[in-house]
Amino acid sequence: MKKDVIYIDVEDDITTIIAKVKAAKLNIVALVPPKRSTVLQSAVNMKLLKRAAKDADKKLVLVSSEATLMPLAGAAGLYVAKSLQSKPEVPPAPTEHSLEDTALDAEPELDPTAPIGELAGDVEEPEAVEPAASSKTKTVKKSKTKKKSDIPNFERFRNKLLIGGAVLILLIVVWVVAFRIIPKADITILARASQLNSNVEFTVDNQATDNDIENKVLAGEQARIVKTETETFEATGEKNVGEKASGTMTVVNRCYNPGTLPAGTTFSSGSLNFVSTQAVSVPDSALSEGSCSSPSSVAVPVRAAAPGDQYNLAETTYAIAGYSKSDVYGSGNQMSGGTTEVAKVVSADDIKKASEKLLATSFADVRTELREELGEGFYAIEASFRKTNQDVVATPKAGQQANEGTVSAEFVFTITGVDQTALAEVLEASQQESLSGPNQSILDNGLETAETEITGRSAGVIEVKLSTSAFVGPDINTEELAEEVSGKRFSEVQKIVLEKEGVRSAEIDFSPFWVFSAPKASRVNIEVELSEASVDD
C-alpha cells in the first residue's frame, strides 16, 4: 500500500511537523523521528499530532523503536511500527501505576531561598559551618521527605475496598446460583407392572359444549378439509374431422304418395347415408285404370351423414328410410366435397380410466392434517374418518378433439375429535374399577395405542367403542417422594427409592457435576416409567 514518508529534523517543532503531515499527498503518512527526539517526548504534542492527522483525514504511523515513545503514543492512540515494513500497532497505554510513579519521580519545585547545595541534592553540609543548625536542618529535611513519602493514597484504598466488596458479593451470588438454583435431581423409576385389557364405550355429541364424564358423553369437535384433485390423461380416440360430401337427390314416386318428406330424411347407398337438409313435398304419381302409369319426382339437397372422401359417390340410386324402393326411391347426382382428416379425440374410455385413477388417490397425509386442524389437546377418533367426493368433471368432454384432457373432483375429508383430558378421565375411571388392590395405580392408560370403532351414528351423535391395553403398577406419590429424598446423598436417595413397593430399578442423576446431594423438593423431578423388561407376563 502506498504511503508518504516524512522524516523529522532535529530542529523541527510540533507546528512544523503538523504542517508536514497536513501537506502529505497520500492518506497514509509514515512519520520517522530522529533518535532521542525531544519534540515527541510530550504527551501534549502526541495528542496535538493525533488530532491534526484526524482533522486532515490522514492515517498516521510513527516509525520508531524507542521505548520512551511507546507509552506516549499508546496514550494518544497513535499507531507505531518498528520499521517501514513492519505492521503498525497501537502500543498499550500507560497504567495508573506508571503514571503515579512518573509523578513521584518528577522534579520538585525549586525553593528560591534554599542553598545551591540543597538544590543540587547535596544534603550533607560541612561539620564546621554551624554544626547544630546544619544537623537540625538535615533532620528536618529528612523528616519532610519521609512525611511526603508516607502520605497514604486514599483514592487507591477506596477503589481497592470497592473492588473487594464487589468481588465478595459476586462470590456470594455465584455460590447461591451454583448450590441453590442450578442443582437438580432427575429420578426415573422403572416399575413392575401388569397388563390390563380395557374397553370403554362413550358417546360423542357434536352439538354439546360441555363434557359429561359421569355419563360418558363428550362434546365433539369436527375437523374438515376440502381438496380438489386433478388427473391428466392422454386422448386415445380418433375421429374424422374432414368435410362432408353434398349434392342433389331426386325423390322418385313410382306408385306411392308419400306426401311431404321432412328435413333429415335418410337416403342410403349401402352403408353410406345422406340426409336431406330441407323438407320437400313429393307430387302424387299419375294413375291409369287403377295402376301407376307415370311416376312423379322432386329434387332436394342432401349432405353426407359423416365426413369422408368415400361419400363422393357417382350418380346412383338410394333407398329412402321407411319406404320400399319399388314405391319411392332416391336418384342421386354426383356427390362431392367429402374429405378425410383423422384427429385425436377424447374417448369415453379415456375419461373412465382417468376417473378411476383419480378416485384411488391415497391422500396419505390427510389424517395428519385433520389432527392438526383439531389442534392440541384433542384426541382424533380414527374410526370417524370419512371421505366423500363430488362428481368427476372431464375437460374436454368425450368426443371432443384434443390430444390430452383432465378429470377433476372435489374431495371432502372429516374426522371427529374430543378433549383428550376428558377422554382419559372416562377411560381411567373404567380402568380403576378393574384394579386388584389399593396400592395399585394406572401407570399408562394406553390411550395412545387405542383402537376405536363406531357402533352407532345419528344426526350429530356417534357411539364409540375404545379398546386398549393399559399398564398398572405401584402407587408412588412423586411429590411426597421428592420431599423425602431432598437433602439426601446419592446412596441414601437410591436406598429410599428402591425400598418403595413395586420398584424394579431406578436411574438417579444429580447435576451439575459438583452436586452430591439431592436439592430442595421443587428441583427434584421424578418420573415413573415402564420398560419391556418391567412388564410382568
Side-chain angles (χ1 to χ4, degrees):
M1 185 176 293
K2 294 183 179 181
K3 55 182 174 290
D4 273 347
V5 180
I6 298 176
Y7 292 90
I8 301 175
D9 295 329
V10 176
E11 62 274 10
D12 287 346
D13 56 15
I14 190 62
T15 306
T16 305
I17 296 172
I18 290 174
K20 289 182 178 182
V21 171
K22 291 183 176 180
K25 295 181 179 180
L26 300 178
N27 287 338
I28 299 177
V29 179
L31 197 63
V32 184
K35 290 185 178 181
R36 295 179 293 279
S37 173
T38 58
V39 70
L40 296 180
Q41 298 289 342
S42 166
V44 175
N45 287 350
M46 283 289 192
K47 291 181 179 179
L48 290 174
L49 190 58
K50 169 71 174 179
R51 183 180 299 174
K54 182 178 180 182
D55 293 340
D57 196 20
K58 306 290 185 184
K59 295 181 179 180
L60 188 62
V61 179
L62 192 63
V63 182
S64 176
S65 59
E66 291 191 42
T68 56
L69 293 180
M70 299 303 168
L72 297 174
L78 276 174
Y79 281 88
V80 177
K82 293 183 179 181
S83 67
L84 292 172
Q85 289 76 30
S86 301
K87 180 181 178 181
E89 294 180 349
V90 177
T95 61
E96 180 184 356
H97 178 69
S98 64
L99 290 175
E100 290 176 358
D101 292 344
T102 303
L104 291 172
D105 293 338
E107 293 183 7
E109 294 183 5
L110 298 179
D111 183 359
T113 63
I116 295 176
E118 285 187 21
L119 296 178
D122 184 10
V123 296
E124 294 185 2
E125 293 293 334
E127 294 289 336
V129 181
E130 298 180 4
S134 175
S135 174
K136 185 179 181 180
T137 302
K138 287 194 293 181
T139 304
V140 172
K141 290 298 180 182
K142 288 183 180 180
S143 176
K144 286 183 179 180
T145 304
K146 184 175 181 181
K147 284 183 180 180
K148 182 176 181 180
S149 62
D150 289 342
I151 294 175
N153 189 332
F154 291 104
E155 184 69 20
R156 181 185 297 179
F157 176 76
R158 185 171 67 89
N159 290 340
K160 289 182 178 180
L161 186 62
L162 292 175
I163 293 172
V167 170
L168 179 61
I169 294 173
L170 180 60
L171 290 175
I172 294 173
V173 171
V174 170
W175 185 90
V176 171
V177 172
F179 293 96
R180 295 294 182 186
I181 299 178
I182 294 180
K184 67 174 184 175
D186 293 316
I187 303 175
T188 302
I189 298 174
L190 299 179
R192 294 183 178 91
S194 59
Q195 196 169 14
L196 175 67
N197 294 326
S198 61
N199 299 298
V200 62
E201 294 183 355
F202 59 94
T203 301
V204 179
D205 187 353
N206 289 331
Q207 305 300 322
T209 56
D210 296 319
N211 298 305
D212 185 352
I213 306 298
E214 183 177 356
N215 294 314
K216 302 178 183 179
V217 178
L218 303 180
E221 181 76 18
Q222 190 178 72
R224 182 175 183 270
I225 293 177
V226 179
K227 290 180 178 288
T228 300
E229 293 294 319
T230 301
E231 185 71 32
T232 302
F233 63 88
E234 185 177 348
T236 61
E238 291 184 348
K239 182 179 181 180
N240 189 348
V241 295
E243 297 295 331
K244 295 180 179 181
S246 61
T248 300
M249 186 73 65
T250 300
V251 180
V252 179
N253 180 15
R254 302 177 74 175
C255 193
Y256 190 82
N257 296 323
T260 300
L261 296 179
T265 299
T266 302
F267 299 83
S268 301
S269 174
S271 62
L272 302 179
N273 298 324
F274 288 82
V275 293
S276 60
T277 59
Q278 64 184 42
V280 62
S281 179
V282 182
D284 293 341
S285 61
L287 296 176
S288 176
E289 297 179 359
S291 63
C292 297
S293 60
S294 177
S296 64
S297 65
V298 63
V300 61
V302 294
R303 182 181 295 276
D309 54 7
Q310 69 271 25
Y311 285 89
N312 296 328
L313 300 178
E315 184 176 346
T316 187
T317 59
Y318 296 82
I320 302 176
Y323 298 95
S324 171
K325 202 171 183 180
S326 60
D327 294 331
V328 182
Y329 67 92
S331 176
N333 297 329
Q334 172 70 48
M335 300 297 173
S336 63
T339 61
T340 298
E341 182 181 349
V342 179
K344 287 282 186 182
V345 295
V346 174
S347 68
D349 190 55
D350 295 335
I351 295 175
K352 179 183 177 182
K353 290 180 179 179
S355 299
E356 291 174 351
K357 187 176 180 181
L358 177 67
L359 295 175
T361 304
S362 65
F363 298 101
D365 297 329
V366 74
R367 290 177 183 265
T368 301
E369 294 177 23
L370 285 170
R371 285 192 288 269
E372 292 176 353
E373 186 75 15
L374 282 174
E376 293 185 4
F378 280 89
Y379 179 87
I381 301 172
E382 293 295 333
S384 68
F385 173 78
R386 303 185 96 182
K387 168 189 171 184
T388 58
N389 63 273
Q390 305 297 327
D391 293 336
V392 178
V393 178
T395 305
K397 305 294 184 183
Q400 292 183 346
Q401 184 179 347
N403 291 324
E404 62 178 24
T406 60
V407 290
S408 60
E410 186 178 80
F411 296 85
V412 180
F413 305 91
T414 59
I415 199 168
T416 300
V418 294
D419 183 86
Q420 185 165 330
T421 303
L423 178 58
E425 289 183 26
V426 171
L427 177 60
E428 291 177 8
S430 174
Q431 293 169 344
Q432 287 286 350
E433 299 174 358
S434 303
L435 296 182
S436 59
N439 293 327
Q440 281 191 320
S441 66
I442 300 168
L443 301 180
D444 184 352
N445 59 23
L447 186 58
E448 292 185 359
T449 58
E451 295 182 355
T452 55
E453 176 187 352
I454 304 299
T455 59
R457 189 187 293 270
S458 58
V461 177
I462 58 175
E463 302 294 333
V464 184
K465 179 180 179 181
L466 185 146
S467 303
T468 188
S469 293
F471 292 96
V472 297
D475 186 11
I476 300 175
N477 189 319
T478 56
E479 293 183 0
E480 291 181 0
L481 182 57
E483 291 285 354
E484 188 176 354
V485 301
S486 178
K488 303 293 192 300
R489 299 185 69 81
F490 184 91
S491 58
E492 295 174 307
V493 172
Q494 190 175 44
K495 181 180 179 182
I496 292 172
V497 173
L498 293 178
E499 286 179 349
K500 296 294 181 182
E501 182 180 354
V503 174
R504 181 184 295 271
S505 62
E507 296 179 2
I508 304 170
D509 179 42
F510 291 169
S511 62
F513 65 89
W514 59 78
V515 177
F516 297 99
S517 60
K520 57 184 179 180
S522 61
R523 298 290 295 168
V524 178
N525 178 43
I526 302 176
E527 293 184 1
V528 180
E529 295 183 354
L530 300 173
S531 66
E532 294 183 0
S534 68
V535 178
D536 293 335
D537 297 331

